Structure formats: C-alpha cells, structure tokens
Amino acid sequence: MDWTTAHHYTDIRYELSDDGIAKITIDRPEVRNAFRPETVIELSDAFERAREDTSVGAIILTGEGEKAFCSGGDQRVRGDSGYRVGGNAAVGRFHVTDLHVQIRRLPKPVVAMVAGYAIGGGHVLHIVCDLTIAADNARFGQTGPRVGSFDGGFGAGLLARQVGLKKAKEIWFLCRQYGAQEALEMGLVNTVVPYAELEATTVDWCREMLALSPMALRLLKASFNADEDGLAGIQQLAHDTNLLLYAGEEAREGRTAFLEKRQPDFSQFPRRP
Ligand code: 2NE
C-alpha cells in the first residue's frame, strides 16, 4: 500500500492513500507508542484534518511497529494533576478526554488497526474507534488500578457495552491481558488476521466502506452514538438530519422567504404520513 505524507508532525504520522483513506500513526515506538500531551494535541489536529478533507472517507488509527498500538498515557510526564505539556508544566490535564469525544463525533468511520499491545489509555483509544482490526500478536488490557488511574468514561461504559458488564469489570478489576483470539470471542475486536496481513485487511475493510453511501454511514455512526451519548448524541444525529433538511426545497423556501422579506409558502410541501 502506498501512503503519501500529508502533514508533518513530531509524535505522529499523517498519511493519505490515493483513494480516500487517512492513516494516523502514533510514532513513539521507544515507549510502546505511549501518548504525551503533545501526542494527543497532534492526534486531535490530524483527526480534524481528516474530517475537513472531503476526499477522505475512512480513517485508520494505528501505532508504529508490531510491538504496540498504544500503551496509554506516558507515565514519565504524569504529574499530580494530569499529564504535563512539555513534561514540566505545573498544572497537568487530560487532553485525551477531548480526543475520545472527537473520534466519536467525527462523521466518518474510524478503524483501529492493532498490532501488539493496546494497553491502558491505549486500550481505551481502540474502544472509542468504530471498528478494530487486530493482528494475531495483539494484546489487550487495562492497567489503571495497577498504576493508580482509571477511565470511568468511555473506557468503562463503552467497554461494558462491547463485552458485557461482568467482563468489563473483570478487565478493569484484575488488570489482566487478553490475546487477540480471546478479544474476538468477547466482541472486543471485529476480526483477527496474521500480522503480515494486518494493513492489507484494514485497507480492504476501509475500501468496502468507501464504496457505500457516506451520508448513510454518517447517520449510522450518529445513530449508534445517539443511544450511547444521551443528549449530546441526539444533538449530533439531529444536526446531521438538519444538514439534510437544508439540502431540500422546503428548507430553501424558509431561507429564501426570510431573505426576500416575505412570508414563507410551505403549502407546496407535503405533510408526509
Ligand atoms: C505496554 C507494555 C505491556 C509493554 O511491555 P514490554 O515488556 O513489551 O515493554 P517494556 O519494556 O515494558 O516497555 C518498553 C519501554 O517503553 C516504556 C517502558 O518504560 C520501557 O522503557 P525503557 O525501560 O526501555 O526506557 N513504556 C511502556 N509503556 C509506557 C508508558 N505508558 N509510559 C511511559 N513509558 C512507557 C508495558 O510497557 C506496560 O505495561 N506499560 C505501561 C502501561 C500503562 O500502565 N499505561 C498507563 C495506563 S493509565 C492511562 O493510560 C490513562 C488513564 O488511565 C486515564 C487517562 C489517560 C491515560
């Protein structure tokens, strides 16, 4: 697969295929692709770039190398109030909170391509992606309680929806690691393939989605999230619907009437049963 670098970053790579796939790679293999605040800020920028690029229809999130997808927050820059930008800020924070929401709000499918460890906050990153393609060497798990941390947001709630409440509690309470096959059996990933076929399979899945209606996929993603995200999810779905309403004659009449300073004539439009 040929990828073209579309923007240069420090901690990540942002590449495009020639047929509408963006690939975002966490490029810190020396720490098993752990993310520091700068990494998350760059990830956020790259996802926004992929969102705004109308030629992009599917996004892959992955980690450099075969040893890890991501090992979570970089513990070397973890301070007493979060992760410190530049490693030395007095006040830290959790930039990844916003990234989780951003991935879920992004109206294009996001596919986690996992080789090696998806651990801790790295595990939560794959949980918030729409699909996960795992290599046979993938290992999944949470470590929070081992290092004095936890993710009670999507990391707990969404995981419980994916694997069931008892299993989700087991994953968090025992901090065990699970192999790719076990992850598949519990519904944590969509498929498992040999590492050598990981990227080709992920690209194939993306291409299958690229051949489908982008608006239908957008509305489906918003529909799944509407159920899970409460009012914020309903807002996304409703605004997506408004986007479609804008494209029709009925809404145009409302806008045109306002601009022409006249009463709108909606009598020409059916009151659908
Ligand atoms: C990922 C894992 C299981 C890999 O094990 P292994 O044996 O393959 O590699 P090793 O030797 O442990 O790691 C290689 C190098 O990467 C660093 C290590 O310290 C080591 O460095 P050197 O000794 O070579 O200098 N490294 C690995 N993960 C790191 C990390 N997260 N931060 C900084 N350096 C890291 C094994 O490495 C592991 O268990 N890693 C820690 C996983 C972890 O606990 N992550 C944080 C969970 S909390 C979190 O992510 C979080 C949250 O809970 C809430 C909000 C935001 C984030």
Side-chain angles (χ1 to χ4, degrees):
M1 181 71 190
D2 287 332
W3 297 100
T4 305
T5 299
H7 193 79
H8 290 280
Y9 293 100
T10 304
D11 287 9
I12 69 169
R13 295 200 310 275
Y14 180 69
E15 296 162 297
L16 296 176
S17 71
D18 59 8
D19 62 351
I21 305 170
K23 184 169 76 159
I24 301 173
T25 307
I26 304 174
D27 192 10
R28 307 185 77 220
E30 68 282 3
V31 285
R32 300 292 186 264
N33 297 318
F35 53 78
R36 53 181 183 162
E38 290 85 344
T39 320
V40 180
I41 291 166
E42 289 185 358
L43 284 170
S44 183
D45 186 81
F47 275 110
E48 188 60 20
R49 204 170 285 279
R51 176 179 184 152
E52 291 296 327
D53 186 341
T54 53
S55 73
V56 170
I59 300 156
I60 297 171
L61 176 63
T62 192
E64 172 57 28
E66 64 182 283
K67 288 189 176 159
F69 169 74
C70 177
S71 62
D74 189 328
Q75 298 304 294
R76 299 170 308 176
V77 297
R78 179 175 145 185
D80 291 345
S81 61
Y83 293 82
R84 295 166 296 158
V85 180
N88 53 15
V91 179
R93 60 168 287 211
F94 288 97
H95 290 83
V96 82
T97 310
D98 300 320
L99 182 66
H100 292 168
V101 174
Q102 183 185 10
I103 291 173
R104 288 173 64 76
R105 281 300 181 97
L106 209 156
K108 303 174 182 180
V110 180
V111 183
M113 182 169 85
V114 178
Y117 291 104
I119 291 286
H123 189 248
V124 179
L125 273 188
H126 104 87
I127 289 173
V128 299
C129 290
D130 298 303
L131 301 172
T132 298
I133 314 290
D136 48 9
N137 76 336
R139 293 194 70 75
F140 300 86
Q142 299 295 160
T143 62
R146 188 173 291 139
V147 295
S149 181
F150 76 107
D151 184 330
F154 294 122
L158 209 51
L159 179 66
R161 288 192 171 225
Q162 291 171 3
V163 302
L165 194 51
K166 294 278 188 191
K167 199 70 189 179
K169 286 183 179 176
E170 175 193 312
I171 290 170
W172 273 103
F173 289 3
L174 278 69
C175 293
R176 288 180 182 168
Q177 289 180 8
Y178 302 84
Q181 202 55 42
E182 213 174 342
L184 181 64
E185 282 156 19
M186 68 171 101
L188 192 56
V189 305
N190 295 88
T191 190
V192 178
V193 296
Y195 174 71
E197 294 167 23
L198 179 62
E199 182 162 295
T201 305
T202 309
V203 166
D204 280 349
W205 281 51
C206 287
R207 285 184 175 147
E208 275 192 52
M209 292 186 285
L210 289 174
L212 303 173
S213 155
M215 183 56 78
L217 292 179
R218 178 188 182 116
L219 292 174
L220 272 169
K221 179 163 177 173
S223 301
F224 282 116
N225 290 350
D227 178 28
E228 290 165 351
D229 289 356
L231 201 51
I234 291 170
Q235 179 209 35
Q236 175 74 51
L237 183 58
H239 285 197
D240 280 357
T241 316
N242 199 20
L243 196 142
L244 292 177
L245 180 67
Y246 271 25
E249 283 304 319
E250 189 173 326
R252 280 197 207 113
E253 167 61 12
R255 179 198 57 197
T256 306
F258 175 82
L259 294 175
E260 292 175 353
K261 299 188 185 308
R262 62 171 171 79
Q263 286 299 313
D265 175 15
F266 289 119
S267 66
Q268 52 189 308
F269 302 106
R271 293 193 167 82
R272 297 177 194 281

